[in-house]
């Protein structure tokens, strides 16, 4: 009885020793096992299908080696669930067998149950701390879980604890070296690039992205999907899509840039295409589209914008110098934009009378309209002129083919009675007499009439007189290169006719910007008139290249109107000396911008005197093509002002 028990124990020990040789045991002789199978005697007659339901039996009747064989067969046929059941039954008999644990961990891994895989690997490490198998299995599982740091730490610990000499140990050493190198690269990349989306609070991220320009915000979309998802979810970032190459509206312009006409974006922006804009409007229906000089925008853009229902909320639309969208697309588009307030189509070749009529009739909320240098005629404002557009405050109108007659301008005045800014720099009226009707625009404050070609002095005086009488509070007047401007024009502007009992003297109490540059008949006598009838609120004065004006007249104008003067342009006078610099220094305490380019006798001493007096409050000085100003004075002025761009000095040596 005892001898039989001893023989049974020896046979069981021999069987367990054979099980530890491979993850899935080799075919073994089942005659040495303790437990006898109730199935047919040959092991080949075992069926996995017949044995799987017996997994819940409390007493295991199948030999362990047979279970391992069945698990090995199931694993090779990728039936990982059956393999897992057989190995679990085998481990119920031999719970500390490292090969069985490793094999079951592999089955868990194939089934995607990495947590169970890691549990078996930890049991292997606790039971056999000097065997590399547990460390290899646990390290692989941690790598699958993307836990690089923990996997590296485990591999290194395994190398320190395990017995050397086996192939598994060599594999463990190699993995420890590879993962250490990979972890070092990961740490290096993390220290070099920190994702603020993960490390900064939400409120601070909002402040950072809110301070970026629109172009910088678009570049942030390409950083990662996380950034794109976050930025796309902040709706107010995409209400205004500004792809134009212009000064953003949020940037505060210097004082000397006030009261000047709008400078159009004439730099081509070929990266802006239909696809670019449509990808940006998908986040939220935009309220403003600033596209600038986008030559790649085609006729399909307007129809696509309407098709994706992204035009109904549009309030501002700016597209300049585009030649690929025509009248038909424009006319159909306005019916989709009932909220449109600002429209800029400067120099759009396809903009014709029909498109202008449709936008005026369908967009009753329109406040600003720029159709200068388009293919329009006076018929576009004469049609239905009896129906006014009272909300329009700013109009830039020019013609591309024919000149405007007096009837066309009168119709424009009736159609837009509440204009505040009128820019007709590109409009050629049929004689200056045609502009008489502008005197009916009683709310007008800014009038820009560039290059009105007429030599009729009497007509100019008569028209300006009507303007003075009809427009009470004009702030900006630009009328350069007009041959009819003379000394009498200055007298009308500064003194006016003044109604009996009224203290109003022309525009002397309201005028802030005056541009009479390139006026061939303006003389020093008219400028000396300003000494007795000054313009005390004058902010910008432009007297460039007036052929009959000399240094004495310029100094008189500066001394009489310099108390509020911020911008002064007196370029193109070869007889002007440093007296002008000293007059500016003495009488213009608020001056920020001075242009004395092409003045033959101004020197570096005058430049130094002005820079010393104003210091860094002086934003810009232009002394281009001044032969008596040398580089040492320019470099000194740049060092005092702190920015080389503040002093413009470009000299053509052919002039020296």
């Amino acid at each position: 009885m005892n001898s039989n028990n001893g023989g049974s124990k020896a046979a069981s020990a021999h069987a367990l020793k054979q099980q530890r040789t491979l993850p899935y045991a080799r075919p073994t002789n089942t005659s040495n096992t303790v437990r006898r199978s109730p199935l047919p005697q040959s092991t080949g007659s075992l069926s996995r299908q017949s044995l799987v339901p017996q997994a819940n039996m409390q007493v295991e009747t199948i030999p362990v080696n047979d279970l391992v064989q069945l698990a090995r067969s199931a694993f090779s046929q990728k039936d990982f669930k059956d393999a897992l059941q057989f190995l679990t039954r085998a481990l119920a008999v031999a719970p500390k067998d490292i090969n069985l644990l490793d094999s079951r961990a592999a089955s868990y891994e194939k089934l995607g149950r990495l947590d169970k895989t890691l549990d078996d690997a930890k049991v292997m490490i606790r039971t056999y701390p000097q065997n590399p198998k547990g460390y290899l299995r646990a390290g692989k599982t941690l790598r699958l879980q993307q836990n690089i740091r923990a996997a590296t730490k485990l591999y290194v610990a395994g190398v320190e604890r395990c017995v050397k000499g086996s192939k598994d140990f060599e594999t463990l050493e190699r993995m420890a070296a590879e993962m250490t190198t990979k972890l070092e690269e990961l740490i290096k990349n993390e220290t070099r690039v920190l994702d603020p989306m993960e490390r900064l609070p939400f409120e601070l991220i909002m402040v950072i992205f809110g301070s970026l320009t629109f172009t910088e915000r678009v570049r942030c979309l390409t950083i990662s999907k996380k950034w794109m998802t976050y930025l796309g979810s902040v709706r107010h970032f995409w209400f205004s899509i500004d792809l134009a190459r212009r000064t953003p509206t949020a940037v505060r312009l210097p004082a000397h840039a006030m009261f000047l006409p709008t400078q159009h974006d004439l730099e081509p922006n070929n990266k802006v295409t239909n696809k670019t804009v449509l990808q940006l409007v998908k986040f939220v229906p935009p309220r403003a589209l600033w596209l600038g000089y986008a030559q790649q925008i085609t006729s399909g853009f307007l129809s696509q914008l309407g098709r994706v229902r992204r035009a109904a909320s549009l309030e501002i639309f700016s597209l300049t110098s585009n030649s690929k969208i025509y009248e038909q697309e424009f006319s159909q588009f306005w019916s989709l934009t009932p909220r449109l307030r600002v429209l800029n189509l400067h120099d759009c070749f396809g903009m014709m009378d029909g498109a202008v009529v449709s936008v005026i009739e369908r967009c009753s909320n329109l406040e600003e309209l720029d159709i200068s240098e388009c293919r329009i005629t006076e018929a576009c404002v004469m049609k239905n002129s009896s129906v006014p557009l009272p909300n329009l405050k700013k109009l830039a109108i020019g013609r591309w083919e024919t000149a405007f007659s007096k009837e066309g301008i009168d119709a424009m005045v009736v159609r837009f009675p509440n204009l505040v800014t009128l820019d007709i720099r590109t409009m050629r009226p049929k004689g200056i007499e045609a502009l008489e009707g502008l005197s009916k625009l009683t709310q007008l404050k800014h009038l820009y009439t560039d290059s009105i070609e007429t030599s009729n002095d009497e007509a100019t005086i008569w028209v300006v007189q009507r303007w003075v009488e009809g427009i009470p509070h004009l702030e900006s007047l630009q009328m350069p290169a007009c041959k009819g401007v003379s000394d009498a024009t200055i007298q009308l502007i500064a003194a006016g006719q003044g109604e009996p009992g009224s203290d109003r003297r022309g525009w002397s109490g309201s005028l802030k910007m005056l541009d009479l540059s390139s006026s061939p008949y303006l003389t020093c006598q008219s400028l000396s008139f300003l000494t007795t009838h000054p313009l005390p609120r004058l902010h910008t004065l432009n007297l460039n290249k007036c052929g009959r004006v000399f240094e004495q007249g310029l100094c008189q104008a500066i001394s009489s109107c310099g108390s509020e003067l911020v911008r002064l342009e007196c370029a193109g006078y070869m007889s002007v000396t440093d007296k002008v610099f000293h007059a500016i220094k003495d009488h213009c305490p608020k001056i920020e911008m001075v242009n004395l380019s092409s003045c033959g006798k101004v020197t570096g001493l005058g430049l130094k005197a002005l820079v010393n007096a104003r210091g860094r409050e002086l934003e810009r000085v232009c002394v281009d093509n001044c032969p008596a100003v040398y580089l040492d004075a320019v470099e000194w002025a740049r060092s005092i002002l702190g920015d080389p761009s503040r002093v413009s000095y470009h000299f053509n040596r052919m002039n020296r």
Side-chain angles (χ1 to χ4, degrees):
M1 185 82 175
N2 295 334
S3 61
N4 292 336
N5 291 337
S8 299
K9 291 181 179 179
S12 177
H14 178 70
L16 289 175
K17 184 177 180 181
Q18 288 182 337
Q19 292 171 21
R20 296 192 180 106
T21 57
L22 292 173
Y24 293 119
R26 297 172 182 173
T28 56
N29 186 5
T30 59
S31 62
N32 295 327
T33 58
V34 176
R35 297 180 177 82
R36 299 292 182 180
S37 173
L39 299 176
Q41 294 182 357
S42 65
T43 58
S45 63
L46 293 175
S47 172
R48 288 195 293 115
Q49 287 77 11
S50 63
L51 293 178
V52 168
Q54 301 178 12
N56 295 326
M57 294 179 62
Q58 295 182 356
V59 179
E60 184 58 62
T61 59
I62 303 176
V64 173
N65 282 357
D66 289 345
L67 291 172
V68 172
Q69 273 188 305
L70 292 169
R72 184 172 180 270
S73 175
F75 196 94
S76 63
Q77 297 178 17
K78 298 183 179 181
D79 191 352
F80 304 118
K81 290 185 178 180
D82 285 0
L84 180 62
Q85 291 184 11
F86 290 128
L87 290 168
T88 302
R89 291 166 62 181
L91 281 168
V93 179
K96 295 184 178 180
D97 190 292
I98 190 171
N99 291 325
L100 292 177
L101 288 169
D102 190 32
S103 300
R104 189 171 72 169
S107 299
Y108 278 130
E109 179 187 312
K110 293 296 184 181
L111 292 171
R113 300 171 63 179
L114 297 181
D115 53 341
K116 293 292 186 179
T117 305
L118 195 59
D119 290 342
D120 281 352
K122 289 178 180 178
V123 173
M124 295 164 64
I125 294 173
R126 286 195 300 267
T127 308
Y128 304 100
Q130 295 183 342
N131 194 317
K133 286 187 177 182
Y135 300 98
L136 289 172
R137 179 63 59 187
K140 182 180 179 182
T141 306
L142 290 171
R143 284 190 292 116
L144 292 174
Q145 292 178 339
Q146 302 298 321
N147 195 343
I148 304 300
R149 285 181 171 81
T152 306
K153 184 177 180 180
L154 193 66
Y155 284 135
V156 174
V159 172
E160 294 175 354
R161 297 176 185 175
C162 294
V163 179
K164 301 180 181 180
S166 65
K167 291 184 178 180
D168 287 340
F169 183 81
E170 293 176 359
T171 304
L172 185 63
E173 266 190 326
R174 187 179 71 255
M175 291 303 302
E178 291 179 1
M179 294 305 297
T180 301
T181 304
K182 188 173 182 179
L183 181 61
E184 290 175 353
E185 293 178 356
L186 180 64
I187 294 174
K188 185 177 179 181
N189 292 334
E190 287 182 349
T191 55
R192 184 173 61 242
V193 181
L194 300 178
D195 191 352
M197 304 291 286
E198 297 178 353
R199 300 176 181 268
L200 297 179
F202 175 79
E203 294 78 7
L204 185 56
I205 294 175
M206 288 285 291
V207 173
I208 293 173
F209 283 125
S211 63
L212 299 178
T213 65
F214 185 82
T215 305
E216 291 170 341
R217 208 173 292 153
V218 171
R219 290 174 183 169
C220 290
L221 292 174
T222 62
I223 300 297
S224 65
K225 291 184 178 179
K226 183 185 296 183
W227 284 45
M228 177 182 287
T229 302
Y230 174 79
L231 286 174
S233 64
V234 185
R235 294 174 61 86
H236 68 268
F237 283 169
W238 309 105
F239 284 149
S240 178
I241 296 179
D242 191 347
L243 299 175
R245 297 184 177 182
R246 63 185 185 90
T247 304
T249 54
V251 177
R252 181 181 177 273
L253 296 175
H256 65 79
M258 296 174 62
F259 304 107
L260 292 178
T262 303
Q263 299 297 321
H264 297 288
D265 183 9
L266 297 178
E267 184 178 358
N269 197 359
N270 293 325
K271 292 184 179 180
V272 178
T273 62
N274 296 5
K275 183 178 180 181
T276 306
V277 183
L278 292 173
Q279 286 178 340
L280 294 176
V281 302
K282 69 180 181 181
F283 299 121
V284 64
R287 297 176 185 172
L289 275 179
W290 301 92
L291 304 182
Y293 191 179
Q295 294 178 310
Q296 302 303 317
I297 297 293
T298 62
S299 57
F301 168 70
L302 298 180
S303 59
Q304 290 172 350
L305 199 63
R307 192 178 303 120
V308 297
R309 299 182 181 180
R310 286 296 186 264
S313 60
L314 197 62
E315 297 180 6
I316 300 174
F317 183 57
S318 176
L319 178 64
T320 63
S321 302
N322 185 279
S323 59
K324 297 182 179 180
I325 303 180
Y326 294 94
E327 181 178 5
Q328 182 179 359
E329 290 81 11
F330 279 130
S331 301
Q332 295 174 352
F333 184 65
W334 309 139
S335 60
L336 305 175
T337 58
R339 299 182 181 179
L340 196 65
R341 296 186 298 105
V342 179
L343 177 62
N344 183 0
L345 296 173
H346 170 78
D347 197 20
C348 283
F349 183 82
M351 192 71 170
M352 300 178 68
D353 291 345
V356 176
V357 171
S358 62
V359 70
I360 292 175
E361 291 179 346
R362 296 176 182 177
C363 302
S364 58
N365 297 322
L366 205 61
E367 297 177 5
E368 298 183 16
L369 177 63
D370 187 343
I371 49 174
S372 54
E373 298 189 26
C374 296
R375 298 176 62 189
I376 62 171
T377 64
E378 57 188 13
C380 65
V381 294
M382 294 179 70
K383 185 175 181 180
N384 297 329
S385 61
S386 59
V387 181
L389 200 65
N391 294 327
L392 196 70
K393 306 296 182 183
K394 182 177 180 180
L395 175 64
I397 188 169
R399 20 99 11 259
W400 190 81
E401 292 177 343
T402 61
F404 271 57
S405 64
K406 187 177 186 304
E407 292 76 15
I409 294 177
D410 290 342
M412 180 184 69
V413 171
V414 173
R415 196 69 183 272
F416 315 119
N418 297 324
L419 284 178
V420 175
T421 301
L422 178 60
D423 187 346
I424 50 176
R425 285 177 290 170
T426 58
M427 187 178 77
R428 290 189 295 111
K430 295 180 179 178
I432 194 171
E433 297 89 344
L435 298 176
E436 175 194 352
L438 299 182
S439 60
K440 298 178 183 178
L441 298 172
T442 56
Q443 300 185 35
L444 198 65
K445 291 186 178 181
H446 309 284
L447 176 60
Y448 309 121
T449 61
D450 190 8
S451 300
I452 299 176
E453 299 178 359
T454 176
S455 58
N456 191 339
D457 184 17
E458 295 182 0
T460 304
I461 294 172
W462 182 70
V463 169
V464 173
Q465 180 179 342
R466 294 294 304 274
W467 290 352
V468 171
E469 293 173 353
I471 306 173
H473 303 294
L474 194 70
E475 295 181 2
S476 305
L477 176 63
Q478 183 187 56
M479 199 162 59
C482 180
K483 297 179 181 179
V485 172
S486 62
D487 296 343
T489 308
I490 291 286
Q491 294 176 9
L492 285 171
I493 292 172
Q497 297 300 315
E499 298 177 1
S502 174
D503 295 331
R504 184 175 71 84
R505 303 181 62 81
W507 293 316
S508 60
S510 62
L511 200 63
K512 297 180 181 179
M513 182 266 191
L514 180 62
D515 182 0
L516 298 176
S517 58
S518 302
S519 299
Y521 299 107
L522 198 65
T523 67
C524 293
Q525 181 180 357
S526 61
L527 299 181
S528 63
F529 180 78
L530 295 176
T531 57
T532 56
H533 298 82
L535 300 171
R537 301 185 64 186
L538 200 62
H539 179 284
T540 300
L541 179 61
N542 189 339
L543 296 174
N544 291 335
K545 299 179 182 179
C546 294
R548 299 187 183 185
V549 173
F550 301 100
E551 184 178 64
Q552 180 183 359
L554 293 176
C555 291
Q556 289 176 338
I558 293 169
S559 61
S560 59
C561 303
S563 60
E564 298 292 327
L565 206 60
V566 175
R567 182 186 185 101
L568 176 64
E569 298 199 27
C570 299
Y573 296 96
M574 294 304 296
S575 61
V576 165
T577 65
D578 288 342
K579 289 183 179 180
V580 173
F581 269 131
H582 288 286
I584 298 170
K585 174 179 70 70
D586 296 336
H587 301 285
C588 303
K590 298 182 180 181
I591 197 72
E592 291 184 3
M593 193 278 179
V594 177
N595 182 8
L596 291 177
S597 59
S598 301
C599 291
K601 296 183 180 181
V602 296
T603 67
L605 295 176
L607 176 62
K608 288 183 177 181
L610 178 62
V611 172
N612 268 329
R614 291 290 295 151
R616 296 201 173 187
E617 294 181 2
L618 196 63
E619 290 288 338
R620 185 171 176 81
V621 181
C622 183
V623 288
D624 295 337
N625 295 323
C626 293
V629 178
Y630 293 95
L631 187 60
D632 56 345
V634 173
E635 293 298 332
W636 177 88
R638 287 173 175 172
S639 65
I640 295 297
L641 298 180
D643 187 355
S645 64
R646 288 191 175 188
V647 182
S648 178
Y649 180 71
H650 302 286
F651 190 77
N652 186 356
R653 296 185 180 275
M654 298 297 293
N655 296 334
R656 188 177 286 274

